Structure formats: C-alpha cells, structure tokens
Amino acid sequence: MSLNVPPRSTVPLANRQWGTSQETARCEAATPKEFEMATSAAGKAVKSGAARSPEDLEAEIDRLRDDVAKLTEQLTRTGEHSVSAAKRAASEGAEQLRVRGEAAVGVIKQNADDLEQQLTETVREKPITSLAIAAGVGFFLALLSRR
C-alpha cells in the first residue's frame, strides 16, 4: 500500500488551517511510514466512531474497563512481588549482618581472653615490674585528672 505524502508546508504552524483528519494526523510527520501510521489511526477513529451504535460503544467501554481492571490487577501483583522481593532481600541482608556481627563479637571475646591470660602470666612471672608499671600508670592518670 503506497500513500502519496504531500510535501512539507512552508507556512508556519500558527498560520496553518487544518481541514481534514489526515492533515491533522500528519502534523509534520517526519517519514512516510509515520504519516501512514498517523493517518490510519486517525482514519479508523473517524470512520469507526460514525458507524458505531450505542451498544457497540457500551461493549467497547466494558472491554476497556476489563482491560483497565486486568492491568490494575497485574500492577498490584507486580508491586506485591516487588515488595516481597525487597522484604526477602532485606531479611537476608539482616541475617548476614547478624551472623557477621556474632562472628566479630566472638573474635573480640577470644582476643580479650587471650590478652587477659597473657597479662596474668606476665604479672605472675614479674610481679615487681608489674607493680612499678601499675604505679606509673596511676601517677599519669592522677596528673591527667588534675587538669
């Protein structure tokens, strides 16, 4: 099917007079394919609107309502799926953080126990040195607390 596309007009848009549905639908279509698509849609709308009965229009409206209801239902399901996927991802992330946190706490406790054991052994091996260090730390803290 071949269409004769009229040449582009040099009249500014504000000064144009649109007389037919094809001219209105064309509205500066860039290619013949776009022109064909625009004119066929406009022609169908004009032709089918004039020949339709009220029953046909009511049936079309009912069909459109059904389509909108189906789309609404699908969007709701998609939204619910997105929410459930987000909840699942958040709970998995929270679980991973909890496991990593528990592991870090375990490592810190083990390091603290090791440090306590080493300190206890050092104090038992060198009690005078340990007493001198404790006195020095106490003196230093006393100086800091005066200021």
Side-chain angles (χ1 to χ4, degrees):
M1 176 178 183
S2 156
L3 289 176
N4 291 331
V5 179
R8 289 182 184 250
S9 175
T10 57
V11 178
L13 277 175
N15 296 337
R16 283 199 190 142
Q17 297 295 320
W18 301 101
T20 66
S21 62
Q22 283 189 345
E23 289 173 336
T24 304
R26 182 173 182 268
C27 190
E28 292 294 315
T31 64
K33 181 70 176 168
E34 290 176 359
F35 174 72
E36 179 180 346
M37 290 169 45
T39 55
S40 65
K44 286 178 185 174
V46 171
K47 290 176 189 172
S48 62
R52 288 192 173 184
S53 68
E55 293 82 22
D56 291 340
L57 292 175
E58 287 177 13
E60 183 71 17
I61 289 171
D62 289 339
R63 188 185 63 77
L64 289 173
R65 282 185 185 145
D66 291 341
D67 288 347
V68 168
K70 287 177 185 176
L71 286 173
T72 303
E73 181 182 332
Q74 185 177 14
L75 288 174
T76 302
R77 279 184 284 161
T78 302
E80 289 171 356
H81 175 69
S82 297
V83 168
S84 65
K87 283 181 182 178
R88 186 173 50 252
S91 22
E92 289 173 1
E95 180 65 22
Q96 288 177 356
L97 286 176
R98 186 188 61 78
V99 168
R100 289 173 66 191
E102 287 176 354
V105 166
V107 168
I108 290 171
K109 282 183 180 180
Q110 182 63 39
N111 288 343
D113 290 342
D114 290 346
L115 185 62
E116 179 185 7
Q117 185 180 5
Q118 286 177 357
L119 185 62
T120 303
E121 288 175 9
T122 303
V123 168
R124 285 191 182 150
E125 289 174 4
K126 302 178 184 177
I128 295 178
T129 307
S130 301
L131 185 62
I133 290 173
V137 169
F139 181 73
F140 180 71
L141 290 175
L143 286 176
L144 286 178
S145 67
R146 285 186 183 182
R147 296 181 183 181

